[in-house]
Amino acid sequence: MKDVVILGIESSCDETAAAVVRNGRQVLSSVVNSQIEIHKEYGGVVPEIASRNHVRNIDCVVKAALDEAGVTPFDLDGIAVTYGAGLVGALLVGVSFAKSLSQATGVPLIKVNHIEGHICANYITHPELEPPFVCLLASGGHTAVVMVESYTDYSVLKTTIDDACGEAFDKVARTLGLPYPGGVWVDKLAREGKNTADFKSAVMKDGNFSYSGLKTGVINYVHNMSQKGLEINKNDVAKSFTMAAVKGLVDEAADTAAASVKKLCVAGGVGANSYLREYAAEICAKKGVALFLPELKYCGDNAAMIAAQGYFLMRENKDIADFSLNACPTLTLKTK
Ligand code: KG4
Ligand code: ZN
């Protein structure tokens, strides 16, 4: 069969990324230009600054990805672009660039849901992986347990009713005075900490998740300690929070996998969390579930995962877009 080469473009938040992927799994190039250093001084992503930097960078990032892969735009079989969810101005930069490139070359345009892209990161790391599998999805904007029925069909089984898991990591980091992006710093501190605060788990009785209460619980704990003039142990707070945020989420996903397809994948930025990865390995081994973790570089935002999903969509003739394609900031993962 002829190889299918897809260019992926991602600009939903503060990473300008482009990648060239062959047959949905072989990464020929993956370029990520992160704006972390720029947004650090504001303690979070400033949408307008993010958009301006995407405009400044996208040309070079796409060119670098094409050059590194040794292809020209005319060699491509598809151009896959993230059209949601994310920051509207940021998304529009990628969408507009992809539309222009598609129009100039005649290469088909494929619209990709960022969240579906995160799930597809697993096909890159694990060439043998095929659906169906259960996916624990945890990023800065989404938290869910999903049944991945096929390469393009999903059932959302459990979800957060308020904040996302990554968002809670970032807010707790801020409360502890840690730099942006917070998740990775909480992870580092937690490695040397103990679960002394014993915060309430983010899993609710019905198996869905709520991170807003947990986040408030941590903020109150830190304030109470400071009102009493007591020193907090940041390592212990980070560890206590991480366990409350992650343990129940992993249990829920692993139980779902154990009762069904016996395969569990992890996706999204929080998938890089060291406790999550270790605990998932331990619990899956106990329950007889095969665990698939994406490489760390494919947990956070990247364009290889977007190109991968573009390939699977194109193969099924789904989500081929025309030049009326617009950004969709509130796009969700839907049960299809
Ligand atoms: O998937 P992602 O890169 O972007 C979104 O689609 O949202 O996820 C970003 C989130 C942030 O909230 C960040 O703090 C969190 O992932 N994150 C982590 C770690 N690395 C990134 N959270 C916990 N532990 C980490 N090691
Ligand atoms: Zn993401």
Side-chain angles (χ1 to χ4, degrees):
M1 248 194 336
K2 185 189 167 291
D3 283 339
V4 177
V5 177
I6 306 280
L7 169 70
I9 297 179
E10 156 65 39
S11 68
S12 63
C13 190
D14 60 343
E15 260 95 30
T16 320
V20 179
V21 175
R22 193 197 284 138
N23 301 332
R25 299 195 187 245
Q26 296 141 23
V27 180
L28 304 184
S29 66
S30 177
V31 179
V32 181
N33 180 296
S34 171
Q35 301 176 18
I36 284 177
E37 287 308 315
I38 297 167
H39 297 281
K40 217 177 203 168
E41 81 176 90
Y42 306 98
V45 179
V46 183
E48 179 60 22
I49 296 178
S51 313
R52 285 167 191 249
N53 280 286
H54 284 310
V55 171
R56 202 165 289 144
N57 295 331
I58 194 151
D59 202 2
C60 298
V61 168
V62 170
K63 185 169 186 319
L66 292 170
D67 288 351
E68 205 180 305
V71 297
T72 76
F74 294 96
D75 299 326
L76 299 169
D77 297 292
I79 299 169
V81 64
T82 303
Y83 76 110
L87 304 168
V88 67
L91 287 164
L92 276 171
V93 179
V95 167
S96 308
F97 192 94
K99 285 201 283 191
S100 315
L101 195 59
S102 169
Q103 190 160 33
T105 54
V107 174
L109 182 67
I110 311 145
K111 58 177 188 174
V112 175
N113 180 330
H114 181 82
I115 311 159
E116 296 180 14
H118 271 300
I119 295 171
C120 283
N122 285 286
Y123 299 127
I124 295 170
T125 303
H126 306 285
E128 75 287 8
L129 176 66
E130 284 180 12
F133 55 84
V134 174
C135 186
L136 187 177
L137 174 72
S139 72
H142 297 86
T143 305
V145 175
V146 178
M147 179 63 80
V148 180
E149 322 257 9
S150 78
Y151 288 99
T152 58
D153 293 298
Y154 313 87
S155 300
V156 180
L157 305 177
K158 296 282 157 47
T159 185
T160 178
I161 58 154
D162 42 50
D163 294 349
C165 184
E167 206 176 341
F169 266 93
D170 294 337
K171 290 196 176 139
V172 165
R174 216 188 256 215
T175 306
L176 294 177
L178 303 171
Y180 166 85
V184 68
W185 292 99
V186 173
D187 187 355
K188 274 188 194 142
L189 285 187
R191 281 178 219 168
E192 309 296 325
K194 289 191 283 299
N195 181 13
T196 51
D198 205 18
F199 296 119
K200 199 166 162 284
S201 166
V203 183
M204 303 191 302
K205 278 203 186 90
D206 65 0
N208 286 300
F209 317 109
S210 167
Y211 282 93
S212 157
L214 172 59
K215 175 192 73 189
T216 312
V218 177
I219 293 171
N220 288 344
Y221 176 87
V222 171
H223 286 172
N224 282 343
M225 293 288 278
S226 105
Q227 271 168 358
K228 288 181 195 157
L230 297 171
E231 188 90 8
I232 58 157
N233 179 322
K234 289 189 184 182
N235 296 90
D236 289 356
V237 176
K239 178 70 175 202
S240 306
F241 161 74
T242 300
M243 288 196 57
V246 163
K247 190 169 177 294
L249 179 63
V250 173
D251 284 337
E252 193 63 37
D255 283 347
T256 306
S260 56
V261 291
K262 311 259 185 296
K263 277 196 258 179
L264 176 65
C265 288
V266 171
V270 185
N273 184 265
S274 52
Y275 172 77
L276 185 151
R277 295 172 83 93
E278 279 159 29
Y279 183 64
E282 182 191 318
I283 206 76
C284 284
K286 268 193 202 143
K287 290 180 185 286
V289 169
L291 175 67
F292 299 85
L293 297 168
E295 280 166 83
L296 291 180
K297 65 180 173 187
Y298 297 127
C299 287
D301 290 347
N302 66 87
M305 66 186 198
I306 303 302
Q309 176 64 351
Y311 166 82
F312 293 113
L313 287 167
M314 199 181 184
R315 201 172 65 164
E316 295 177 23
N317 209 17
K318 285 181 178 168
D319 290 347
I320 307 298
D322 61 27
F323 300 136
S324 67
L325 179 65
N326 205 347
C328 185
T330 56
L331 192 65
T332 54
L333 185 65
K334 287 201 189 75
T335 296
K336 289 184 182 167

